[in-house]
Amino acid sequence: MKRIAITFIASVMAAAVLTGCGAASVPTESSDETEVKELPPARAQDDYYRFVNKDRFDTAEFEYGDRSVETAFRSKLINDQIKEIIDEVVAGNGYAEGSEEDIIKHAYDYFTAYDFENEPIPEDLMALIEEIDGASTVEELIEVEAKMNRDYGTTGIINIGIDTNYFNPQERITYIYQLDRVLDTTFVDIRDRQYALDDVMDTAKVIMSTRGYDKETSEKIGKKLAYLALDLYGETDLEITEALMGFEYMHEYSAGQVNEMLSNIDLNKYVTILGLDVSKVDSYILNDVDQLKAVNSILVDENLDALKAWELGSLYGNYVRYIAPHYPQLAGMTRKNYDSIHDQALDEILASFVDETDPLYVERYYTPEMDEALRSMCDDIRAGYRKLISGADWLSEPTRKELLQKLENIVYVTGADLKRHDNSKYAGIYGDNYYELCINYNRIKTQKIISSLNEPVSRLDTTMPMQMMNACYQFSLNNITITSAITNAPFFDLNADYYTNLGGLGMVIAHEMGHAFDSNCILFNSKGEYDPSWIPDADMQTLLERNEKAVSYFEDNFTVFGVYHVDGEKTLGENYADLGAVECIVSLTKTKEDRIKLFESYATIWCSMETDELLIDLIAYDEHSPNLIRVNAVLSSIDEFYETYDVREGDGMYIAPEKRISRWY
């Protein structure tokens, strides 16, 4: 049966390219099981993705419970490497106090010794629960929330954060973000599910029952919170919630204006409790003013009990394993872990102490030679984009000049930029047990965020763990982070051929560099400022026309199961990054052999298989096209691919020249 399932998924993936595709094998129903016929050998000209990856598809196996099998993004390999490092640290001793190794060792020892089932709720946590429940006014409750956010890392009703200022990336600014949920029920759930508000009511009812409220009172409070959630939903702009980037919704307001919007609380006192110097918080960036005004309208004493349920839910959610064992009502919030305590501790450290394992991972697996080769490849890719942009005759000269300046301003962030922390800042954080260590550790991280508001912005900060197999472009900082983990094969190998690496990690880097010029991030100028007006009207019109053609290309020509169309609008930014990246790296090749290595590597790094359910979910919600389509659809618009594999009309990969698209040509 396993073989049949795998063959079925592979055949479905082979059928995803609609234009010019030969008929794929169709499962035929029998009385006992589905019979699946084997597909004929794949041809590069018909389905390049399957042509390159067929052997991987044939040998891949789904483990129980998995929804996908990924042969390129091998996160398990990275996790195993990190766990090996943790094991070595745990076996050692004599570490400097506050060092990464010392924190890891204490975390392991404390975690394995902590009896989560029988230890009483920590005294300070219990005191905080009682303080929430004992608040006599909304003003008191909101002050407790500020303390919770500062000391316990919860997300509050006032959803404050600190980030780079989109409009002035040389500074950070305070944001008040749109709320997307009440307790665990999102506003999208409320829109899409008939009984979603019942979840709010039931959760609040359970929470209040833990505080000794009787059934009738708990139900009354739960119903009240459900009505408040409905009120907020009615004033929430779900276009913002579901926006991929949402830059256009961000606007800066003076502190005075925001104080007026939140007139029912003392916002200055709130931010002071958080630890901010209110004299230096002179403005905020908001993305949903109507919702914030609706939040203000519910912050009145008549809603106090319902708001308490909301605050308690936030705290319970963050600290459920310390709280739930003491309340039978919360039994459903936890699950039994049958792994050994050693394996549980490794998983815990892997998830909760990334900042400590990260530099150890880089020191073990990322060498200066790798960094030199990586940065050299980045420079080559920049040169490729320089040539493409310079030759884009559909751009006006001022726009081309600004794009070239933006290209030159891009900086790379790699494992070489990751530094160990200052041990003195972490000395003395250990406390007497695992809970105290975690609380103290997270308070340092929170304080670091708070203090960053008035510190210089560095474009070389590592904002993504180096042990995560990924890379990203940060639009305000105009930088590309390339993690150490993604320098593993098949993406990158110092001993591999240059063009194999260029089609692998080079493609990923070119993709991230291409985001600087995609349909979203192109609205940021060469200084990293969000300013759509920098693009002249004529060029903007040309860009929009090209966008429209690209949207149609993906929507009209490519489906999954012959039914589900790619959302060309939603995936446009990622599709453009892919298309521009391939155009860039192909421009760096010299021979047919170079291109073959590059194309094969490109198809290899996206090799994965998904269950039908997951694939449909990805089509519905992911801003990336499915991997099969992001390979075949992009290559079907690359002239050099046609030349390399002699693709002709009638072949599965063939798209008529007038229907092909380009980012730069």
Side-chain angles (χ1 to χ4, degrees):
M1 290 300 294
K2 183 176 292 186
R3 173 63 182 159
I4 290 175
I6 291 175
T7 305
F8 173 69
I9 292 170
S11 69
V12 165
M13 298 177 80
V17 176
L18 183 65
T19 300
C21 235
S25 358
V26 178
T28 57
E29 295 293 335
S30 66
S31 59
D32 51 352
E33 68 177 25
T34 299
E35 178 184 355
V36 179
K37 297 179 181 179
E38 293 287 348
L39 287 167
R43 298 172 65 241
Q45 296 88 341
D46 291 326
D47 181 351
Y48 193 71
Y49 185 70
R50 188 167 73 91
F51 170 76
V52 171
N53 293 311
K54 185 178 184 305
D55 289 345
R56 299 180 184 89
F57 292 150
D58 289 344
T59 57
E61 294 186 0
F62 284 82
E63 295 184 8
Y64 180 78
D66 283 353
R67 301 177 74 199
S68 66
V69 178
E70 297 173 329
T71 65
F73 280 86
R74 294 180 293 171
S75 56
K76 186 178 185 302
L77 166 67
I78 308 303
N79 289 348
D80 288 345
Q81 291 175 332
I82 299 165
K83 288 179 180 180
E84 183 180 339
I85 292 172
I86 296 170
D87 271 329
E88 292 178 10
V89 170
V90 168
N93 54 62
Y95 303 120
E97 184 178 3
S99 66
E100 286 83 357
E101 291 89 347
D102 203 36
I103 293 172
I104 291 170
K105 185 170 177 62
H106 272 86
Y108 180 90
D109 291 343
Y110 279 172
F111 181 87
T112 54
Y114 200 92
D115 186 352
F116 288 94
E117 292 293 323
N118 297 301
E119 284 282 349
I121 297 175
E123 290 183 7
D124 66 309
L125 198 55
M126 196 68 235
L128 184 58
I129 292 170
E130 292 173 351
E131 190 175 1
I132 294 170
D133 195 19
S136 59
T137 65
V138 166
E139 186 64 43
E140 286 183 15
L141 182 65
I142 291 299
E143 290 174 11
V144 177
E145 177 189 284
K147 184 169 69 173
M148 287 168 55
N149 292 356
R150 181 194 68 203
D151 294 339
Y152 293 86
T154 60
T155 299
I157 299 172
I158 310 301
N159 193 11
I160 282 185
I162 296 170
D163 204 347
T164 306
N165 187 343
Y166 288 170
F167 306 106
N168 181 12
Q170 284 72 47
E171 67 175 22
R172 294 184 180 87
I173 194 169
T174 305
Y175 286 75
I176 300 183
Y177 298 104
Q178 180 195 60
L179 292 170
D180 69 345
R181 68 190 63 222
V182 174
L183 298 178
D184 289 331
T185 302
T186 69
F187 294 126
V188 172
D189 289 334
I190 294 173
R191 181 194 66 190
D192 294 345
R193 292 197 295 110
Q194 184 175 1
Y195 299 107
L197 286 170
D198 289 350
D199 294 340
V200 177
M201 181 174 64
D202 292 342
T203 302
K205 181 173 65 176
V206 168
I207 289 168
M208 298 313 285
S209 73
T210 68
R211 300 303 305 143
Y213 292 82
D214 60 40
K215 180 180 179 182
E216 182 179 353
T217 304
S218 297
E219 287 181 348
K220 182 178 178 181
I221 294 171
K223 185 177 292 187
K224 181 66 173 178
L225 184 57
Y227 278 123
L228 296 183
L230 184 60
D231 289 343
L232 291 180
Y233 163 74
E235 297 300 325
T236 296
D237 187 342
L238 290 183
E239 286 189 7
I240 299 173
T241 307
E242 299 184 310
L244 296 178
M245 296 293 184
F247 312 129
E248 66 270 29
Y249 301 105
M250 297 290 186
H251 299 284
E252 188 170 349
Y253 297 85
S254 71
Q257 290 174 305
V258 178
N259 274 288
E260 288 181 10
M261 296 177 199
L262 288 172
S263 58
N264 286 335
I265 66 168
D266 187 340
L267 182 59
N268 287 341
K269 189 171 185 179
Y270 188 98
V271 299
T272 300
I273 294 172
L274 280 178
L276 297 171
D277 182 347
V278 70
S279 68
K280 297 181 179 179
V281 182
D282 52 12
S283 61
Y284 295 83
I285 289 181
L286 313 180
N287 63 349
D288 195 341
V289 170
D290 288 340
Q291 188 201 66
L292 188 63
K293 292 177 179 178
V295 168
N296 184 62
S297 71
I298 70 171
L299 294 176
V300 292
D301 288 347
E302 66 184 76
N303 297 328
L304 181 59
D305 285 342
L307 297 173
K308 287 180 182 179
W310 191 347
E311 299 286 13
L312 285 169
S314 297
L315 189 65
Y316 283 14
N318 276 32
Y319 295 93
V320 63
R321 59 181 168 182
Y322 300 101
I323 299 172
H326 303 281
Y327 297 108
Q329 306 97 308
L330 303 181
M333 295 180 68
T334 60
R335 65 178 181 84
K336 184 72 174 177
N337 191 330
Y338 295 98
D339 292 340
S340 70
I341 191 63
H342 172 73
D343 287 342
Q344 290 182 48
L346 294 183
D347 288 336
E348 177 76 11
I349 294 169
L350 187 65
S352 301
F353 292 90
V354 173
D355 289 348
E356 311 314 308
T357 58
D358 220 27
L360 306 185
Y361 176 81
V362 170
E363 290 167 9
R364 174 74 61 88
Y365 291 106
Y366 191 67
T367 66
E369 292 77 17
M370 294 168 70
D371 193 65
E372 181 180 357
L374 180 59
R375 290 177 184 273
S376 176
M377 181 180 290
C378 288
D379 288 339
D380 291 346
I381 292 166
R382 193 200 306 265
Y385 272 114
R386 190 181 298 124
K387 182 177 179 181
L388 288 174
I389 296 170
S390 297
D393 55 11
W394 50 275
L395 291 170
S396 69
E397 190 56 36
T399 300
R400 182 185 297 105
K401 183 178 179 181
E402 182 73 0
L403 290 178
L404 287 170
Q405 186 59 57
K406 186 175 186 179
L407 176 69
E408 299 307 321
N409 289 350
I410 292 175
V411 297
Y412 322 131
V413 181
T414 72
D417 297 298
L418 181 64
K419 309 300 179 187
R420 282 184 173 244
H421 64 227
D422 180 351
N423 292 354
S424 65
K425 293 182 179 180
Y426 291 84
I429 70 166
Y430 301 120
D432 295 326
N433 56 47
Y434 188 69
Y435 169 79
E436 292 181 9
L437 169 60
C438 288
I439 283 290
N440 293 334
Y441 181 75
N442 288 324
R443 284 175 182 169
I444 290 176
K445 294 176 70 174
T446 301
Q447 184 55 47
K448 184 178 179 181
I449 295 171
I450 291 170
S451 62
S452 73
L453 180 62
N454 300 308
E455 294 177 354
V457 175
S458 171
R459 297 174 66 207
L460 294 178
D461 283 344
T462 51
T463 55
M464 178 183 291
M466 285 293 150
Q467 60 194 260
M468 178 189 293
M469 272 190 111
N470 212 336
C472 72
Y473 173 75
Q474 216 293 336
F475 34 82
S476 293
L477 300 179
N478 196 26
N479 67 11
I480 298 171
T481 298
I482 307 148
T483 71
S484 300
I486 205 170
T487 57
N488 281 280
F491 290 87
F492 182 81
D493 185 343
L494 269 181
N495 299 315
D497 176 88
Y498 175 80
Y499 294 100
T500 298
N501 282 336
L502 188 63
L505 184 52
M507 166 61 199
V508 175
I509 294 167
H511 171 98
E512 299 306 333
M513 200 174 293
H515 271 309
F517 317 108
D518 72 17
S519 54
N520 297 305
C521 299
I522 199 170
L523 302 178
F524 288 76
N525 63 26
S526 63
K527 298 176 182 178
E529 300 164 343
Y530 178 67
D531 179 19
S533 68
W534 82 261
I535 304 175
D537 290 343
D539 281 340
M540 178 60 79
Q541 185 59 40
T542 301
L543 286 167
L544 292 175
E545 290 171 359
R546 291 172 70 92
N547 289 354
E548 186 176 346
K549 184 176 180 180
V551 167
S552 298
Y553 175 80
F554 281 89
E555 288 186 344
D556 296 346
N557 296 311
F558 305 97
T559 63
V560 172
F561 307 140
V563 175
Y564 298 99
H565 289 257
V566 175
D567 186 332
E569 193 72 44
K570 181 178 64 181
T571 58
L572 180 60
E574 295 296 334
N575 291 338
Y576 261 159
D578 281 341
L579 182 62
V582 173
E583 289 178 339
C584 174
I585 60 177
V586 166
S587 73
L588 301 177
T589 61
K590 299 179 177 64
T591 67
K592 178 179 178 179
E593 289 70 26
D594 297 341
R595 292 193 293 274
I596 289 174
K597 292 173 183 176
L598 184 145
F599 290 139
E600 289 185 354
S601 187
Y602 172 49
T604 297
I605 63 172
W606 299 122
C607 181
S608 68
M609 299 202 312
E610 295 84 17
T611 63
D612 302 350
E613 177 188 25
L614 176 58
L615 199 53
I616 293 170
D617 283 349
L618 292 174
I619 285 281
Y621 301 111
D622 195 353
E623 66 269 24
H624 301 84
S625 296
N627 288 349
L628 163 67
I629 292 177
R630 72 188 298 182
V631 172
N632 284 0
V634 169
L635 294 183
S636 290
S637 262
I638 302 296
D639 290 344
E640 291 85 351
F641 180 79
Y642 286 77
E643 297 167 8
T644 301
Y645 289 99
D646 192 25
V647 178
R648 302 182 181 184
E649 187 171 1
D651 292 335
M653 293 290 293
Y654 182 85
I655 297 287
E658 67 274 12
K659 293 184 178 180
R660 297 174 201 168
I661 58 173
S662 170
R663 185 60 185 137
W664 295 109
Y665 297 118

